[in-house]
Amino acid sequence: MSKHVVRVCLVVLSVILLSQAALAQVTLQFMGWEASPLETESVQRGLRRFEELNPGIKVEYIPVGGDEYHTRLLTMMAGNAAPDVFFINAEGYYRNFARRGVLLELDEYFYQSLSLDDFIPMEQDKMLVDGKIYGTSSCVVAPVLYYNKDLFDKAGLPYPPSDPKEAWTWDEFIEVAKQLTIEQNGRVTQFGVYGFENMHPREAAIYSNNGLIFSEDYSKLDMSPKAQEALTKILELRTVHKVSPPAAFLEQSGMNAAQMLQTGRVAMVADGSWALQELAKMNFSVGVGVLPIMERPITAGTAHLHSIWSGTKHPEEAWKLVEFLSSEEYQIGLVREGLWMPNRAHMYELEDRGRWMDPEVHPEGFEGIADYFADYVLPNPSIFVPREAWDIFEEELDKFFLDDQPLDKVVENMRRRIDPILQ
C-alpha cells in the first residue's frame, strides 16, 4: 500500500473518530438564579470540575434574575424549551412544580447511588413529595446572628454565644441590644440589632417560642398564641425597646444589612447563613452566634434543590449533573466560602468539620454553629405550602409590621384568605 493511500486512510479515520466524538458529546442547559456575582462564580467553578470528571458532557449555565426566575422557567416549559437541569426554590415552588408533572421523578436514579439517611433530617423532609423525590438537596441554609466584634469590644460586652446550649434568652438579648444602641443629639447613630422582621429569622423566632404558623398537616392556618407572641416581641424591638431601626433609617442609609454591620450602623444582624460569604470578604471583624431563644434554641432552614425537566432529552446525563450538584465535592467548595452549610449528616461529625471549615471565612467558635445546624434546624414552614398561600401570609404580615394594624385583625384576614387555598 502506497504512503499516499495510508495518509488518506488515516485522515478518513480521524474524521470518523472526530465525528463519533462530536455525536457522543452532550450539552446540558443548567439554569440558576443569580443571587450575587460571588455565587455565580462559585457555581461556575463547580461546573468546570464536573466537566473535567465527565468529558462527554458540556454544561451551559444560564443565570437569571431571582425576581423573574420561576415565571421564566414555567414559560420555557410551556414552550417546550426548558433547561435540562435547574435550581428550584423549596419555598412554594418545588412541590407545586412536582405536582404539575414538569419535574422528572428521580427515585430510580437516586436510590441507586444515594440514601436518604445520608442527609440531615431537614433535607430529607425537603426532598420528599408524597413519598417521591423530584429534586436533590443542594445544601442547607438558615438564619444566624452576625455581629461586629469591634463594637462589642468597645462596649466591653461579651460576644453572642455560638453554642446553642448557651444561647441568650430573649430578655438577655434585648439588654445587650440596648447597650449597643447609641443616641447622639437626639438621634440614634448605632442600633443594637436588625433583621428579625424579615423572613427566616422571623419564622425561627416563632419556632423558638413553640409557635405554629400552620397546622401540623398544613391543611389550615394556625397562628397559635405562641406564634403571635413571638411576632409581637419582634415588633417591640423597634417600637418599644428602640433597638432596631425603622424603615426610614434603612432607606436613608442606602446600605444593605452587611454594609450596616460593617460600618457600625448596627451591632448585630439576624440573617441567613449564606451572608457569611459576603461578610468574610468585607475586611472587618465579624462574628457569628446562634439566635437568641424565646423558649428553646432553634433555627428555620431552607435552600434550593436541583431538579430535572420531565421533557429533557438527556435524562441519564442530567442525573449525573444533579448527583454531582448534591455531592460533597461540589458542596465543600461553596461551604468553605461561607455561602452554604452541608446537607450530609456525617459532615457535621467532629472529624469531618475540618474538611469544610475555613479559618479565613468561618470565625472563631464556628464549631458551635455547626452543632446548631446538625441538631437545631427545623424546615421553614414555607416549604410545605403553596406559594400563593405564603405570599398572602407575607402580605398580611406587612400590615402588622409596617402599617400598625392589630395582629388579631391581620390573623383573621390571613385565615380568611389562606385556608381556602390549603383546603
Side-chain angles (χ1 to χ4, degrees):
M1 184 180 293
S2 70
K3 292 181 179 179
H4 174 72
V5 172
V6 170
R7 282 197 298 270
V8 170
C9 290
L10 289 174
V11 169
V12 171
L13 181 60
S14 297
V15 170
I16 291 171
L17 291 174
L18 287 171
S19 299
Q20 289 176 337
L23 288 172
Q25 181 80 39
V26 169
T27 298
L28 297 175
Q29 287 193 325
F30 173 40
M31 193 164 91
W33 51 73
E34 188 163 34
S36 72
L38 287 174
E39 181 174 3
T40 297
E41 182 183 332
S42 299
V43 170
Q44 289 176 326
R45 189 160 49 247
L47 293 177
R48 288 195 293 271
R49 176 59 179 158
F50 171 78
E51 291 176 337
E52 290 174 6
L53 296 171
N54 298 272
I57 305 175
K58 182 80 174 173
V59 182
E60 177 187 338
Y61 184 54
I62 309 168
V64 174
D67 291 342
E68 62 185 64
Y69 179 84
H70 289 91
T71 300
R72 178 170 174 181
L73 185 56
L74 273 177
T75 301
M76 294 170 79
M77 288 173 173
N80 203 35
D84 302 279
V85 177
F86 40 83
F87 287 20
I88 189 161
N89 194 333
E91 297 153 6
Y93 290 105
Y94 171 58
R95 280 163 168 70
N96 176 276
F97 278 42
R99 288 166 180 153
R100 284 172 178 252
V102 295
L103 306 184
L104 187 69
E105 184 191 314
L106 300 179
D107 285 26
E108 68 170 295
Y109 300 106
F110 184 93
Y111 290 110
Q112 287 181 15
S113 55
L114 299 174
S115 169
L116 267 179
D117 292 338
D118 291 341
F119 295 82
I120 62 173
M122 198 215 88
E123 294 305 287
Q124 298 179 35
D125 292 341
K126 190 173 75 178
M127 285 189 284
L128 287 171
V129 182
D130 302 328
K132 301 288 186 180
I133 295 174
Y134 297 88
T136 60
S137 161
S138 59
C139 62
V140 59
V141 293
V144 293
L145 190 67
Y146 296 103
Y147 57 94
N148 186 317
K149 288 184 174 182
D150 293 336
L151 301 184
F152 274 80
D153 292 342
K154 185 177 179 180
L157 294 169
Y159 299 145
S162 60
D163 185 343
K165 296 185 180 69
E166 298 174 2
W168 283 335
T169 66
W170 192 256
D171 289 340
E172 289 171 335
F173 163 67
I174 289 172
E175 288 307 310
V176 172
K178 285 180 177 178
Q179 294 179 68
L180 290 165
T181 300
I182 298 173
E183 185 175 331
Q184 293 179 345
N185 301 320
R187 177 174 168 267
V188 176
T189 57
Q190 175 182 302
F191 283 93
V193 66
Y194 168 73
F196 275 95
E197 293 183 20
N198 295 334
M199 184 179 174
H200 302 301
R202 182 187 62 208
E203 286 78 61
I206 290 172
Y207 278 156
S208 177
N209 204 43
N210 286 315
L212 283 176
I213 296 176
F214 304 99
S215 61
E216 291 186 2
D217 63 358
Y218 293 94
S219 65
K220 63 180 181 178
L221 189 77
D222 189 302
M223 286 303 291
S224 64
K226 287 287 188 180
Q228 296 186 44
E229 180 184 46
L231 292 172
T232 300
K233 287 182 176 182
I234 289 172
L235 179 63
E236 288 175 348
L237 291 174
R238 174 165 53 85
T239 61
V240 175
H241 305 297
K242 310 292 186 183
V243 298
S244 189
F249 177 88
L250 302 177
E251 293 169 3
Q252 291 166 7
S253 73
M255 293 184 283
N256 62 27
Q259 292 166 334
M260 289 195 297
L261 191 65
Q262 178 194 36
T263 58
R265 306 300 295 275
V266 296
M268 297 179 283
V269 169
D271 201 356
S273 49
W274 60 81
L276 185 57
Q277 184 186 38
E278 178 183 2
L279 288 165
K281 298 178 184 296
M282 293 182 71
N283 197 30
F284 77 105
S285 189
V286 62
V288 185
V290 297
L291 299 173
I293 64 174
M294 293 187 180
E295 292 193 6
R296 58 172 175 159
I298 211 76
T299 189
T302 184
H304 69 281
L305 301 98
H306 296 114
S307 292
I308 300 173
W309 178 38
S310 59
T312 181
K313 296 179 181 177
H314 309 289
E316 301 288 339
E317 292 83 0
W319 167 250
K320 285 184 179 180
L321 176 57
V322 165
E323 184 180 18
F324 175 78
L325 295 172
S326 187
S327 70
E328 293 177 37
E329 179 173 3
Y330 177 70
Q331 274 187 69
I332 283 177
L334 289 102
V335 171
R336 284 184 63 83
E337 294 178 9
L339 180 65
W340 293 350
M341 290 290 286
N343 62 18
R344 297 299 205 280
H346 76 85
M347 293 176 74
Y348 290 95
E349 299 294 335
L350 290 175
E351 60 270 21
D352 275 353
R353 293 180 185 181
R355 297 172 55 221
W356 55 267
M357 284 178 56
D358 183 347
E360 294 189 6
V361 173
H362 300 94
E364 184 180 356
F366 201 83
E367 294 81 2
I369 301 299
D371 290 337
Y372 201 37
F373 277 77
D375 301 319
Y376 296 89
V377 177
L378 291 178
N380 192 295
S382 61
I383 292 172
F384 303 109
V385 297
R387 187 71 190 192
E388 181 185 358
W390 189 257
D391 286 345
I392 292 170
F393 173 75
E394 293 273 9
E395 177 189 327
E396 291 294 338
L397 208 51
D398 280 348
K399 297 174 184 177
F400 170 66
F401 282 123
L402 304 178
D403 297 340
D404 299 322
Q405 288 195 15
L407 186 54
D408 56 352
K409 179 182 176 182
V410 167
V411 170
E412 180 183 336
N413 286 335
M414 282 182 184
R415 185 167 286 113
R416 175 179 55 80
R417 298 177 65 192
I418 290 175
D419 279 0
I421 298 170
L422 300 182
Q423 293 165 5

